[in-house]
Amino acid sequence: LAALWANRSHVHELLRDSEAALSDAHECVALAPSWAKGYYRAARALLPSHARSFLPRPVRAQCRATRLPPIVK
């Protein structure tokens, strides 16, 4: 179910609806807090589409994702 929220977040991002993208990313994180994709989607939603550069909130979201243990397949 978390993948659904991550994918929906991506669609909102493509539609330039960052509030909806962030909301869906938060749902994804709530459902799967150990899955980095939710944090990635949150970081992307927090970045303005015209300037994918350093901003404090997206960087914090990305840092939370990098502290997760690696997935071994």
Side-chain angles (χ1 to χ4, degrees):
L1 192 56
L4 171 73
W5 288 103
N7 291 342
R8 203 172 101 146
S9 176
H10 185 208
V11 170
H12 286 302
E13 178 191 341
L14 294 173
L15 295 172
R16 302 193 193 302
D17 186 352
S18 58
E19 284 187 36
L22 183 59
S23 176
D24 286 355
H26 284 166
E27 288 291 334
C28 178
V29 169
L31 289 169
S34 64
W35 191 38
K37 179 68 72 103
Y39 298 100
Y40 171 74
R41 291 288 176 222
R44 294 282 300 191
L46 290 167
L47 287 170
S49 61
H50 63 278
R52 304 260 182 224
S53 60
F54 176 80
L55 292 173
R57 286 178 63 196
V59 169
R60 282 197 304 269
Q62 192 65 33
C63 287
R64 283 193 298 268
T66 58
R67 286 194 298 262
L68 297 172
I71 297 172
V72 179
K73 292 186 178 184

